[in-house]
C-alpha cells in the first residue's frame, strides 16, 4: 500500500484491520469461561510488566503528565480492572433467577471500535482491550494522532501476550496512521458492532451519529465543595494529591474549589502549606487569558506542571509548586477559569453555607460537566444526603480525591478508565464502563406455575369490565365459542367441477356437515359419466340444470338468529358477522 494516497491507505487499513478482527473474534466466540479468563490474565500480566516503559513512552510522545503517575494508571487499568471483573461470568449461563423465572445467558458483541485520547493513552488502551477481551470480543483502536506511537506499542505488548497464550493476536489491533476520515470509517464499518469513544465532545458526538451503539464519555468540570463540618487538613491533603496526580489529566479531577466561608481561609492556608500558589488578581488575569481561548481550554496547558503553566501565562512560581489557585467571582463566560482545564489549576469560589454551595456547584456542572463527577468534603450527615439527592452528577466522591475516586481506585466504584455521564450529558449510561457493558445478555423466560390460573381470572375480569358474558373465542378456556363451533361443524373439501351440457363449468357450493358425520362410513357415491361398474355400461348423464341464483342458495337468517340468540359465536354486539346497517347476521 506504499503507493496509495495517505488518506486512502488509512481507509484501506481500517478495512483490513476489521476483516482480521472478525476472523479472530469468530475463534474467541467458541471459548469457554476458563479459556477466556486465561487469555485475559496473559494480557493483564504483559500490560503490568510494561507499565513503566509504556508510561515513559507516553510522556515522551505527548509531553503530557508524569511518568510515575502514568505507570500507576497503567497498573490500575490492567491489574486493578482485572481484580474487579476476574470472577464476573461472561460466557454461557451467567445467572439463574429461579424465583423470578429467568435464566441469563451471555454472548459476545463482536468487533468493538475503541477511540483513545492523548491525555491517558496507554491506560485507556489497556482498559478497553481488557474489558473487550473478557467478553470474547475483538477491538480495533483508533488512537489520537499525537499518541499513536505509545498506543501502538501498548497494543503490540498485548498482541504478543495473546500469541504466547495461543490466542489470535488480531483480537487487539491499532490503526498505525489514524485520520479523522479513517476514524469515522472505523465507527461506521458494517462489521463494527459497538463503539467505545473517549475524547472531546465532537468525537463523542460523531460516535453517536455513526448509527452504531456507542458508549461515549462526556467532559468533566468537577466542583468540590468543602463544608464547615469537613476535616480541613485531610481535605487539603487529598485535593493537592488529586490535582498533582498525573497533572490533573483525568476528566474527573477537581476543577473548582467551592469553600464554605467560615473555613475558607483555613482551607487555603492548608493548601498553601502543601505547596499551592494562591494567585494575585494580576496573575489571575494572566491565567485567564492563557488558559481560556475563546471559551475553550487551551490545549497547551493540558497535563503541564504548575510552574510551566504559570511561566507560559507570564509569571513565575517555584518549581516545587503543587497547584495554582485563582479566585473567580462566579460561573460562566465572564469568568474564564470556571471551565474545565486539565492541569493543576483550581478556580476558587467562596459561599455562605451548604445551600449556596449546592447551588454554585450545580452551576459549575451545567457549565461543561453535567452528569460527570462532583466532590464533597463534609462531616454533617444532613449535608451529605442533601448533596447526594440534588446533584446532577453520576459520581459523587465523599471525603476523598475525585481523580482517584471516580475511576474506582480509592473508592468502591467500579474500576474503569471510561466514565459515562448518563442521559443528562447525552450518554447512554451513567456507569463506569466495564466488561458487563460489552456482552449481550439473552434471557430465558420460564413459565410461571400460577400462569394459567391468573390468565383465566384476568380474562374473565376483562370480559366483565367491557360488558361481555362468557369468554372470548380462541381463549382456550371453558366455554370458548370457537371450540364449541369446531366440534359442531367443519368444511368439506370442494367437490369436483361439473360441466353441464352446452354450459360453462359450475362449481358446487361447499357443504357443511357435522364432524361426526365426516368420520362416519360413507354411502357409495353414484358413478359419474366416465365411471361404470365392472362389466357394465356407463351410467346415463343427468340432465343439465340451470344453476340457482346465489341469493336463493343462502338461507335467510331467522329473526332469533338476527338478534344473536343461540349463536355459537356469542352475542351480536361487536361481532364481525353482524351487518351494522340492518342488524342481520352474516355468519
Amino acid at each position: 500500500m506504499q503507493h496509495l494516497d495517505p488518506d486512502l491507505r488509512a481507509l484501506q487499513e481500517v478495512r483490513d484491520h476489521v476483516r482480521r478482527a472478525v476472523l479472530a473474534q469468530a475463534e474467541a466466540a467458541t471459548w469457554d469461561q476458563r479459556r477466556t479468563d486465561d487469555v485475559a490474565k496473559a494480557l493483564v500480566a504483559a500490560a503490568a510488566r510494561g507499565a513503566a516503559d509504556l508510561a515513559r513512552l507516553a510522556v515522551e510522545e505527548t509531553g503530557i503528565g508524569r511518568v510515575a503517575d502514568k505507570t500507576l494508571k497503567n497498573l490500575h487499568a490492567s491489574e486493578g480492572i482485572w481484580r474487579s471483573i476476574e470472577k464476573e461470568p461472561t460466557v454461557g449461563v451467567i445467572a439463574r433467577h429461579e424465583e423470578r423465572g429467568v435464566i441469563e445467558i451471555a454472548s459476545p458483541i463482536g468487533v468493538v471500535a475503541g477511540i483513545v485520547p492523548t491525555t491517558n493513552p496507554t491506560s485507556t488502551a489497556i482498559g478497553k482491550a481488557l474489558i473487550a477481551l473478557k467478553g470474547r470480543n475483538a477491538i480495533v483502536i483508533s488512537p489520537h494522532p499525537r499518541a499513536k506511537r505509545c498506543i501502538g506499542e501498548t497494543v503490540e505488548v498485548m498482541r504478543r501476550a495473546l500469541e504466547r497464550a495461543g490466542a489470535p493476536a488480531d483480537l487487539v489491533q491499532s490503526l498505525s496512521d489514524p485520520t479523522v476520515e479513517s476514524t469515522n470509517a472505523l465507527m461506521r464499518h458494517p462489521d463494527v458492532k459497538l463503539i467505545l469513544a473517549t475524547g472531546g465532545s465532537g468525537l463523542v458526538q460523531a460516535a453517536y451519529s455513526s448509527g452504531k451503539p456507542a458508549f461515549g464519555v462526556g467532559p468533566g468540570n468537577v466542583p468540590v465543595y468543602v463544608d464547615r463540618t469537613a476535616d480541613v487538613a485531610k481535605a487539603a491533603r487529598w485535593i493537592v494529591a488529586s490535582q498533582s496526580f498525573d497533572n490533573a489529566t483525568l476528566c474527573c479531577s477537581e476543577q473548582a474549589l467551592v469553600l464554605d466561608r467560615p473555613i475558607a481561609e483555613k482551607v487555603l492556608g492548608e493548601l498553601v502549606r502543601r505547596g499551592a500558589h494562591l494567585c494575585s488578581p494580576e496573575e489571575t488575569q494572566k491565567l485567564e487569558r492563557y488558559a481560556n481561548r475563546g471559551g475553550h481550554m487551551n490545549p497547551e496547558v493540558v497535563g503541564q506542571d504548575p510552574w510551566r503553566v504559570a511561566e507560559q501565562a507570564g509569571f513565575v512560581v517555584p518549581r516545587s509548586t503543587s497547584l495554582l489557585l485563582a479566585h473567580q467571582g462566579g460561573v460562566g463566560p465572564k469568568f474564564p477559569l470556571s471551565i474545565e482545564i486539565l492541569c493543576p489549576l483550581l478556580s476558587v469560589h467562596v459561599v455562605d453555607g451548604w445551600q449556596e454551595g449546592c447551588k454554585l456547584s450545580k452551576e459549575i456542572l451545567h457549565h461543561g460537566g453535567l452528569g460527570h463527577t462532583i466532590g464533597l468534603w463534609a462531616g454533617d450527615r444532613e449535608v451529605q444526603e442533601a448533596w447526594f439527592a440534588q446533584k446532577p452528577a453520576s459520581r459523587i466522591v465523599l471525603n476523598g480525591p475525585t481523580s482517584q475516586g471516580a475511576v474506582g481506585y480509592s473508592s468502591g466504584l467500579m474500576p474503569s478508565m471510561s466514565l459515562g455521564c448518563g442521559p443528562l450529558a447525552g450518554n447512554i449510561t451513567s456507569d463506569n464502563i466495564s466488561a458487563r457493558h460489552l456482552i449481550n445478555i439473552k434471557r430465558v423466560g420460564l413459565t410461571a406455575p400460577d400462569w394459567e390460573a391468573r390468565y383465566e381470572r384476568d380474562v374473565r375480569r376483562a370480559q366483565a369490565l367491557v360488558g361481555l358474558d362468557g369468554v372470548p373465542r380462541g381463549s382456550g378456556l371453558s366455554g370458548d365459542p370457537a371450540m364449541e363451533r369446531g366440534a359442531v361443524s367443519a368444511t368439506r373439501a370442494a367437490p369436483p367441477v361439473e360441466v353441464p351440457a352446452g354450459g360453462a363449468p359450475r362449481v358446487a357450493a361447499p357443504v357443511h356437515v357435522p364432524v361426526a358425520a365426516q368420520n362416519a362410513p360413507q354411502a357409495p357415491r353414484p358413478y359419474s359419466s366416465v365411471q361404470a361398474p365392472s362389466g357394465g355400461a356407463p351410467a346415463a348423464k343427468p340432465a343439465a340444470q340451470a344453476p340457482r341464483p346465489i341469493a336463493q342458495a343462502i338461507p335467510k337468517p331467522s329473526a332469533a338468529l338476527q338478534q344473536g340468540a343461540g349463536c355459537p359465536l356469542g352475542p351480536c354486539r361487536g361481532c364481525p358477522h353482524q351487518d351494522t346497517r340492518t342488524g342481520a347476521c352474516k355468519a
Side-chain angles (χ1 to χ4, degrees), residues 193-499:
K193 304 304 181 185
L194 182 73
I195 302 169
L196 293 176
T198 305
S201 57
L203 174 64
V204 173
Q205 187 59 44
Y208 287 143
S209 302
S210 67
K212 300 295 179 67
F215 288 113
V217 176
N221 192 19
V222 179
V224 55
Y225 171 67
V226 185
D227 186 64
R228 63 189 66 185
T229 63
D231 184 332
V232 170
K234 187 176 181 180
R237 174 192 175 186
W238 289 112
I239 288 170
V240 169
S242 184
Q243 284 299 96
S244 299
F245 183 59
D246 204 27
N247 282 342
T249 51
L250 286 168
C251 54
C252 54
S253 65
E254 295 89 343
Q255 297 294 320
L257 187 59
V258 183
L259 303 176
D260 199 357
R261 193 173 298 279
I263 48 88
E265 290 302 321
K266 186 177 180 182
V267 173
L268 293 175
E270 284 289 334
L271 292 172
V272 170
R273 191 171 72 84
R274 293 181 176 277
H277 174 80
L278 184 59
C279 298
S280 67
E282 294 76 20
E283 292 170 340
T284 297
Q285 290 178 0
K286 291 179 179 179
L287 278 175
E288 290 173 346
R289 289 192 295 267
Y290 174 66
N292 187 317
R293 297 291 174 85
H296 301 282
M297 171 179 55
N298 180 358
E300 297 301 320
V301 309
V302 176
Q304 300 304 305
D305 293 330
W307 67 268
R308 190 179 295 278
V309 174
E311 184 179 83
Q312 294 299 317
F315 61 97
V316 177
V317 298
R319 293 205 171 195
S320 60
T321 300
S322 59
L323 64 112
L324 302 174
L325 302 170
H327 279 283
Q328 294 286 278
V331 179
K334 294 182 179 179
F335 306 98
L337 299 183
S338 64
I339 65 171
E340 179 188 45
I341 302 174
L342 296 177
C343 71
L345 166 62
L346 286 176
S347 60
V348 179
H349 310 260
V350 179
V351 297
D352 289 310
W354 69 265
Q355 291 92 343
E356 187 177 331
C358 183
K359 179 181 177 183
L360 183 66
S361 295
K362 287 195 285 188
E363 290 179 14
I364 293 168
L365 287 172
H366 280 276
H367 192 53
L370 196 60
H372 206 290
T373 302
I374 195 170
L376 170 65
W377 288 90
D380 189 320
R381 187 68 173 267
E382 180 183 350
V383 174
Q384 293 176 5
E385 293 186 358
W387 216 260
F388 303 158
Q390 298 180 18
K391 296 301 168 296
S394 301
R395 280 155 290 276
I396 302 174
V397 180
L398 177 63
N399 295 330
T402 61
S403 288
Q404 297 94 330
V407 297
Y409 177 60
S410 66
S411 73
L413 298 178
M414 176 61 72
S416 177
M417 295 303 295
S418 298
L419 313 181
C421 298
L424 287 172
N427 293 173
I428 190 80
T429 182
S430 59
D431 292 345
N432 286 10
I433 309 302
S434 188
R436 69 183 64 169
H437 299 92
L438 297 186
I439 55 174
N440 286 316
I441 298 179
K442 300 180 286 187
R443 292 174 175 84
V444 177
L446 305 178
T447 303
D450 65 338
W451 147 247
E452 293 187 10
R454 284 191 290 111
Y455 171 66
E456 180 170 1
R457 181 191 66 218
D458 293 342
V459 166
R460 295 187 184 280
R461 181 185 178 194
Q463 288 285 98
L465 287 174
V466 298
L468 298 177
D469 297 327
V471 297
R473 63 180 178 276
S475 63
L477 301 176
S478 175
D480 182 345
M483 295 176 65
E484 293 179 3
R485 178 171 184 264
V488 171
S489 64
T491 303
R492 267 196 192 177
V497 175
E498 298 178 9
V499 183

Side-chain angles (χ1 to χ4, degrees), residues 33 36-37 40 77 80-91 94 106-109 112 126-137 194 196 215 414-418 431-441:
Q33 189 70 68
T36 301
D37 291 346
I81 291 178
W82 178 244
R83 280 193 297 270
S84 70
I85 64 175
E86 180 177 8
K87 296 181 180 179
E88 185 171 344
T90 56
V91 179
I94 60 174
S107 61
I109 287 174
V112 176
I126 294 169
K128 289 185 176 182
L130 176 56
I131 61 176
L133 187 61
K134 175 71 172 177
R136 297 179 294 164
N137 303 298
L194 182 73
L196 293 176
F215 288 113
M414 176 61 72
S416 177
M417 295 303 295
S418 298
D431 292 345
N432 286 10
I433 309 302
S434 188
R436 69 183 64 169
H437 299 92
L438 297 186
I439 55 174
N440 286 316
I441 298 179

Side-chain angles (χ1 to χ4, degrees), residues 87-123:
K87 296 181 180 179
E88 185 171 344
T90 56
V91 179
V93 176
I94 60 174
R96 293 181 183 272
H97 307 286
E98 301 291 350
E99 70 287 353
R100 288 166 41 203
V102 174
I103 299 174
E104 295 182 349
I105 303 168
S107 61
I109 287 174
V111 178
V112 176
I115 316 302
V116 178
T118 186
T119 47
N120 306 291
T122 55
S123 55

